[in-house]
Amino acid sequence: MQLDWTTFLLQIINFLVLVWLLKRFLYRPVMDVIARRQAAIDQSVADARATEANARSLRADYEARLAELDTQHARQLAKLADEIAQERQRRMDRLDADMATEREKRAALAEHEAAERQRKADMAAHRQASAFVSRLLGRLGDAHLDRRLLDMLIDDLPHLPAHQRDGLREAAAAPDAQLRVTSARPLDASARHALESALAEPAGRPLGADYATDDTLLAGVRVTLGPWLLAATLADELDYFRAGARHAG
């Protein structure tokens, strides 16, 4: 076999041309596409890593915020529990004070009711005693006792206070001044004379008198001159005793 150098050379030239064409129109575009694709992949990976880092940062911020909210919530719950405890204690104290006040009111009311019952019992006892004494003195009253009481009234006239003596004298100065004498039983002439004579001195002049009887006086005599009253009767003394009993109650 004989080598044709011309053909061999042409084949080499064709191969070189083919290699140049492949490199010029196929290899470089493919490499450029691969490079751009790799760059896009690298950018996507970088973006994904940045997104992941951002997500981690957001998660850390969220967890920190959540922890802070939990802490604030716990503090608010503790504060609310303290306020509830304080309000409960304040209401309990007020309830205790109200109950103490109510107990004091009830005790005072019970004491007042006991005192009122005791006062009524004392008044009833005094009324019974007064009624008993009235009946007893009514049975003991007689003309002798009337005269004794009249003598007591006459004996007391010189010892009247100055303002009473002045009042009697002023009442007696009236032109129509008249004594009104009421006794449990009729007074005899000597008793009337003794009374009118004794009253002439404090009255400043002798006065006429109207006489009447009233058995409710029980015993004794009652003298009226204008607005003034002089009395020495068992009824008046019993009234004084009743009034003293009511005052003591």
Side-chain angles (χ1 to χ4, degrees), residues 52-236:
E52 183 181 2
N54 189 27
R56 289 178 179 176
S57 177
L58 291 175
R59 180 178 179 180
D61 293 341
Y62 171 76
E63 290 177 351
R65 182 62 179 167
L66 185 62
E68 183 180 358
L69 290 176
D70 290 342
T71 303
Q72 292 179 357
H73 183 65
R75 285 200 297 267
Q76 291 175 353
L77 286 177
K79 182 180 179 182
L80 180 61
D82 292 340
E83 291 176 353
I84 291 174
Q86 292 176 2
E87 179 64 20
R88 179 177 179 275
Q89 185 61 41
R90 185 167 63 253
R91 292 191 178 188
M92 290 296 294
D93 294 341
R94 186 170 57 189
L95 179 61
D96 291 341
D98 291 344
M99 291 179 65
T101 302
E102 186 65 24
R103 285 196 295 271
E104 292 177 356
K105 288 181 179 178
R106 291 185 178 183
L109 180 60
E111 184 178 357
H112 175 73
E113 291 176 349
E116 184 66 16
R117 288 195 296 271
Q118 183 63 40
R119 187 184 69 82
K120 291 180 179 178
D122 292 343
M123 289 182 63
H126 281 93
R127 282 196 297 270
Q128 292 177 356
S130 177
F132 173 74
V133 172
S134 296
R135 290 194 300 272
L136 180 61
L137 293 179
R139 297 180 63 181
L140 295 176
D142 56 11
H144 179 69
L145 183 57
D146 290 341
R147 186 55 190 259
R148 290 288 305 274
L149 292 173
L150 176 62
D151 292 339
M152 288 175 56
L153 176 63
I154 293 174
D155 292 340
D156 289 341
L157 287 176
H159 306 292
L160 289 176
H163 71 280
Q164 290 187 2
R165 296 175 65 87
D166 294 341
L168 285 173
R169 191 176 294 273
E170 182 179 354
D176 56 347
Q178 186 81 10
L179 295 172
R180 180 171 179 78
V181 181
T182 304
S183 57
R185 279 161 287 276
L187 297 178
D188 58 23
S190 63
R192 295 183 179 187
H193 177 70
L195 178 61
E196 293 175 12
S197 299
L199 286 171
E201 193 279 330
R205 67 184 180 93
L207 294 171
D210 291 332
Y211 289 91
T213 59
D214 184 356
D215 57 2
T216 61
L217 298 181
L218 301 179
V221 63
R222 181 183 292 164
V223 179
T224 304
L225 177 59
W228 290 94
L229 172 66
L230 301 173
T233 70
L234 290 180
D236 290 332

